[in-house]
Amino acid sequence: MADLSGKVVVVTGGARGIGAATARAVVEGGGRVLVTDVLEEEGAETAGKLGGAARFLRHDVTSEADWQAALDHAVAEFGRLDGLVNNAGIASGQPLEEESVEHFRRVVEVNLVGVFIGIRTAVPLLRAGGGGAVVNISSAAGLTGMALTAGYGASKWGVRGLSKTGALELAGSGIRVNSVHPGMTLTPMTAPIGIQAGEGRFPGAPLGRVGTPEETAAAVAFLLSDAAAYITGAELSVDGGWTAGLTTAHLTGG
Ligand SMILES: NC(=O)c1ccc[n+]([C@@H]2O[C@H](COP(=O)([O-])OP(=O)(O)OC[C@H]3O[C@@H](n4cnc5c(N)ncnc54)[C@H](O)[C@@H]3O)[C@@H](O)[C@H]2O)c1
């Protein structure tokens, strides 16, 4: 378990799924966490289960005003800010020709513009505490092309690129910026794809199964921790080998 003693972290989209698992990992590692989300009931319940080391605030990542309020709230409640996990996201799952311009824009607004506003707003607060860590949740779809993900894939490639820019520009302020790239992971986002029905089997990943939110959360917690002090601008895949390349089965058509 990553040691996050004394650290204060904001996790967006933390009401459920990977965000909720990450909030739990922060508290289990000895840190304190502000869980934010647009889902008020679920968010309050998730934070409530984590006890006094957690708070919840409604926060829409597309709103600049919400961002300022959320990060100020973290500092008001816990006295400082050490980490930001840009996890909130929405999916797209239709062929490119069927994706509306409106939906494409919305996906990019939440998944990419939201991350940009978050980093921009967090920098002065992280700097005030002597530095910190930003972890941006991209996707396997931000490392390789993926059918049916026009808006989603574009936004996740954008998150990967934005993470590099942040890493380069903020290193001098002691702020590390990395991206995490989950593969197929069992959460409410993927439930409509029906992966639950397959009892977690996922032949697309060489390890043969889907991932759990906790497995991604462990990688995020590591990147937030001082154990990752020399890691910035990196891409960490948590995908069972999905994006590593072609398997023997691929090469032999099996
Ligand atoms: N589940 C997967 O297989 C998978 C794979 C790769 C990447 N990801 C990424 O991981 C992250 C978490 O996804 P998840 O699988 O836990 O899905 P999820 O749907 O369970 O969680 C996403 C959370 O983001 C919140 N959210 C959506 N729009 C928001 C907004 N405008 N402001 C604030 N919060 C908002 C939702 O309410 C939800 O609680 C996402 O960025 C997703 O793209 C997931």
Side-chain angles (χ1 to χ4, degrees):
M1 186 194 306
D3 181 5
L4 295 171
S5 316
K7 297 205 187 291
V8 175
V9 179
V10 172
V11 179
T12 70
R16 66 186 197 190
I18 290 169
T22 301
R24 205 176 318 120
V26 170
V27 172
E28 285 171 0
R32 289 170 293 169
V33 68
L34 176 67
V35 172
T36 79
D37 207 296
V38 287
L39 298 178
E40 295 190 48
E41 241 172 75
E42 277 183 68
E45 199 183 319
T46 297
K49 283 185 192 152
L50 297 176
R55 303 278 188 282
F56 170 74
L57 190 72
R58 189 194 187 280
H59 165 208
D60 181 338
V61 295
T62 64
S63 158
E64 281 186 71
D66 275 16
W67 263 112
Q68 195 64 58
L71 298 182
D72 286 349
H73 190 67
V75 174
E77 288 290 311
F78 297 129
R80 52 185 294 112
L81 182 70
D82 303 287
L84 169 63
V85 182
N86 281 304
N87 165 79
I90 55 174
S92 59
Q94 53 276 69
L96 185 151
E97 286 175 286
E98 289 168 26
E99 177 135 325
S100 69
V101 173
E102 190 188 17
H103 188 251
F104 185 97
R105 284 206 173 108
R106 177 68 190 158
V107 172
V108 171
E109 188 73 20
V110 174
N111 293 4
L112 178 56
V113 181
V115 174
F116 165 69
I117 305 171
I119 300 173
R120 210 170 168 275
T121 313
V123 164
L125 297 170
L126 293 171
R127 218 178 248 145
V134 176
V135 181
N136 297 323
I137 308 301
S138 175
S139 169
L143 290 170
T144 187
M146 209 171 278
L148 309 180
T149 68
Y152 186 78
S155 70
K156 294 300 188 180
W157 277 75
V159 168
R160 179 184 174 197
L162 181 61
S163 303
K164 303 279 189 249
T165 304
L168 294 168
E169 292 187 7
L170 300 172
S173 300
I175 301 170
R176 298 180 295 104
V177 185
N178 293 290
S179 57
V180 167
H181 300 259
M184 195 63 84
T185 310
L186 209 54
T187 71
M189 180 181 278
T190 47
I193 307 173
I195 57 175
Q196 265 104 341
E199 293 169 348
R201 281 181 292 106
F202 181 57
L207 290 181
R209 62 171 177 85
V210 299
T212 65
E214 289 73 23
E215 286 169 325
T216 295
V220 176
F222 163 67
L223 289 171
L224 288 170
S225 78
D226 294 342
Y230 199 52
I231 302 178
T232 194
E235 298 157 4
L236 183 47
S237 297
V238 188
D239 66 357
W242 196 13
T243 55
L246 300 176
T247 61
T248 310
H250 285 127
L251 292 171
T252 57

Short mmCIF file of all heavy atoms in Angstrom, two decimals, residues 132-134 167 175-179 222-236:
data_model
loop_
_atom_site.label_atom_id
_atom_site.label_comp_id
_atom_site.label_asym_id
_atom_site.label_seq_id
_atom_site.Cartn_x
_atom_site.Cartn_y
_atom_site.Cartn_z
N GLY A 132 3.74 18.96 -5.37
CA GLY A 132 2.69 17.95 -5.24
C GLY A 132 2.63 17.06 -6.46
O GLY A 132 3.56 17.03 -7.27
N ALA A 133 1.51 16.34 -6.57
CA ALA A 133 1.38 15.38 -7.67
C ALA A 133 -0.01 15.46 -8.29
O ALA A 133 -1.02 15.53 -7.58
CB ALA A 133 1.62 13.97 -7.15
N VAL A 134 -0.02 15.47 -9.62
CA VAL A 134 -1.28 15.40 -10.35
C VAL A 134 -1.29 14.07 -11.10
O VAL A 134 -0.30 13.71 -11.75
CB VAL A 134 -1.41 16.56 -11.37
CG1 VAL A 134 -2.69 16.42 -12.20
CG2 VAL A 134 -1.37 17.91 -10.66
N ALA A 167 3.79 18.11 -17.04
CA ALA A 167 5.01 17.58 -16.43
C ALA A 167 6.20 18.49 -16.75
O ALA A 167 7.01 18.80 -15.87
CB ALA A 167 5.27 16.16 -16.93
N ILE A 175 6.03 20.01 -8.97
CA ILE A 175 4.73 19.36 -9.22
C ILE A 175 4.92 18.30 -10.31
O ILE A 175 5.33 18.62 -11.42
CB ILE A 175 3.66 20.39 -9.66
CG1 ILE A 175 3.48 21.45 -8.56
CG2 ILE A 175 2.34 19.68 -9.98
CD1 ILE A 175 2.63 22.65 -8.98
N ARG A 176 4.66 17.04 -9.95
CA ARG A 176 4.77 15.95 -10.90
C ARG A 176 3.41 15.70 -11.56
O ARG A 176 2.37 15.81 -10.89
CB ARG A 176 5.24 14.67 -10.20
CG ARG A 176 6.61 14.80 -9.56
CD ARG A 176 7.04 13.52 -8.87
NE ARG A 176 6.21 13.18 -7.73
CZ ARG A 176 5.29 12.23 -7.70
NH1 ARG A 176 5.04 11.50 -8.78
NH2 ARG A 176 4.59 12.00 -6.61
N VAL A 177 3.42 15.41 -12.86
CA VAL A 177 2.17 15.14 -13.57
C VAL A 177 2.33 13.86 -14.38
O VAL A 177 3.23 13.75 -15.22
CB VAL A 177 1.79 16.30 -14.53
CG1 VAL A 177 0.42 16.04 -15.16
CG2 VAL A 177 1.80 17.64 -13.81
N ASN A 178 1.49 12.89 -14.09
CA ASN A 178 1.55 11.60 -14.79
C ASN A 178 0.16 11.18 -15.26
O ASN A 178 -0.85 11.65 -14.72
CB ASN A 178 2.11 10.53 -13.85
CG ASN A 178 3.56 10.78 -13.50
OD1 ASN A 178 4.45 10.64 -14.34
ND2 ASN A 178 3.82 11.18 -12.25
N SER A 179 0.12 10.30 -16.24
CA SER A 179 -1.18 9.77 -16.67
C SER A 179 -1.25 8.27 -16.41
O SER A 179 -0.26 7.55 -16.52
CB SER A 179 -1.45 10.08 -18.15
OG SER A 179 -0.44 9.57 -18.99
N PHE A 222 0.31 5.05 -5.79
CA PHE A 222 1.78 5.01 -5.92
C PHE A 222 2.28 6.32 -6.55
O PHE A 222 3.22 6.95 -6.05
CB PHE A 222 2.20 3.81 -6.77
CG PHE A 222 3.60 3.91 -7.30
CD1 PHE A 222 4.69 3.86 -6.43
CD2 PHE A 222 3.84 4.08 -8.66
CE1 PHE A 222 6.00 3.97 -6.91
CE2 PHE A 222 5.14 4.20 -9.15
CZ PHE A 222 6.22 4.15 -8.27
N LEU A 223 1.64 6.76 -7.63
CA LEU A 223 2.09 7.98 -8.30
C LEU A 223 1.89 9.23 -7.44
O LEU A 223 2.62 10.21 -7.57
CB LEU A 223 1.38 8.14 -9.66
CG LEU A 223 1.81 7.13 -10.73
CD1 LEU A 223 0.91 7.22 -11.95
CD2 LEU A 223 3.28 7.35 -11.14
N LEU A 224 0.91 9.18 -6.53
CA LEU A 224 0.70 10.32 -5.61
C LEU A 224 1.76 10.35 -4.51
O LEU A 224 2.03 11.39 -3.92
CB LEU A 224 -0.68 10.20 -4.93
CG LEU A 224 -1.93 10.47 -5.77
CD1 LEU A 224 -3.17 10.05 -4.99
CD2 LEU A 224 -2.02 11.94 -6.19
N SER A 225 2.36 9.20 -4.26
CA SER A 225 3.23 9.06 -3.07
C SER A 225 4.66 9.50 -3.35
O SER A 225 5.08 9.63 -4.52
CB SER A 225 3.23 7.61 -2.59
OG SER A 225 4.07 6.83 -3.42
N ASP A 226 5.42 9.68 -2.28
CA ASP A 226 6.83 10.06 -2.42
C ASP A 226 7.68 8.94 -3.02
O ASP A 226 8.80 9.20 -3.45
CB ASP A 226 7.38 10.51 -1.07
CG ASP A 226 6.71 11.79 -0.58
OD1 ASP A 226 6.11 12.49 -1.41
OD2 ASP A 226 6.78 12.08 0.64
N ALA A 227 7.14 7.72 -3.03
CA ALA A 227 7.88 6.62 -3.67
C ALA A 227 8.03 6.88 -5.17
O ALA A 227 8.91 6.30 -5.82
CB ALA A 227 7.15 5.30 -3.44
N ALA A 228 7.19 7.76 -5.71
CA ALA A 228 7.26 8.09 -7.13
C ALA A 228 7.90 9.47 -7.36
O ALA A 228 7.67 10.12 -8.38
CB ALA A 228 5.85 8.07 -7.73
N ALA A 229 8.74 9.88 -6.40
CA ALA A 229 9.29 11.25 -6.43
C ALA A 229 10.07 11.58 -7.70
O ALA A 229 10.18 12.75 -8.06
CB ALA A 229 10.19 11.45 -5.21
N TYR A 230 10.60 10.55 -8.38
CA TYR A 230 11.40 10.82 -9.59
C TYR A 230 10.61 10.50 -10.87
O TYR A 230 11.16 10.39 -11.94
CB TYR A 230 12.70 10.02 -9.54
CG TYR A 230 13.79 10.54 -10.46
CD1 TYR A 230 14.18 11.88 -10.44
CD2 TYR A 230 14.43 9.69 -11.36
CE1 TYR A 230 15.16 12.36 -11.30
CE2 TYR A 230 15.42 10.16 -12.21
CZ TYR A 230 15.79 11.50 -12.17
OH TYR A 230 16.76 11.97 -13.02
N ILE A 231 9.30 10.33 -10.72
CA ILE A 231 8.48 9.97 -11.89
C ILE A 231 7.57 11.12 -12.27
O ILE A 231 6.68 11.52 -11.50
CB ILE A 231 7.62 8.72 -11.58
CG1 ILE A 231 8.52 7.55 -11.17
CG2 ILE A 231 6.78 8.34 -12.79
CD1 ILE A 231 7.76 6.28 -10.80
N THR A 232 7.81 11.69 -13.43
CA THR A 232 6.88 12.69 -13.96
C THR A 232 6.87 12.58 -15.48
O THR A 232 7.85 12.17 -16.10
CB THR A 232 7.24 14.12 -13.50
OG1 THR A 232 6.12 14.98 -13.78
CG2 THR A 232 8.49 14.68 -14.18
N GLY A 233 5.71 12.88 -16.07
CA GLY A 233 5.57 12.77 -17.52
C GLY A 233 5.44 11.32 -17.99
O GLY A 233 5.57 11.03 -19.17
N ALA A 234 5.16 10.41 -17.06
CA ALA A 234 5.09 8.99 -17.41
C ALA A 234 3.66 8.56 -17.71
O ALA A 234 2.69 9.21 -17.31
CB ALA A 234 5.65 8.15 -16.27
N GLU A 235 3.57 7.44 -18.43
CA GLU A 235 2.26 6.82 -18.72
C GLU A 235 2.26 5.46 -18.07
O GLU A 235 3.13 4.64 -18.37
CB GLU A 235 2.10 6.61 -20.23
CG GLU A 235 2.12 7.89 -21.02
CD GLU A 235 2.51 7.66 -22.48
OE1 GLU A 235 2.70 6.50 -22.89
OE2 GLU A 235 2.63 8.65 -23.19
N LEU A 236 1.33 5.22 -17.17
CA LEU A 236 1.29 3.92 -16.49
C LEU A 236 0.04 3.16 -16.92
O LEU A 236 -1.08 3.58 -16.62
CB LEU A 236 1.32 4.15 -14.97
CG LEU A 236 1.35 2.92 -14.07
CD1 LEU A 236 2.37 1.88 -14.52
CD2 LEU A 236 1.65 3.33 -12.63
#
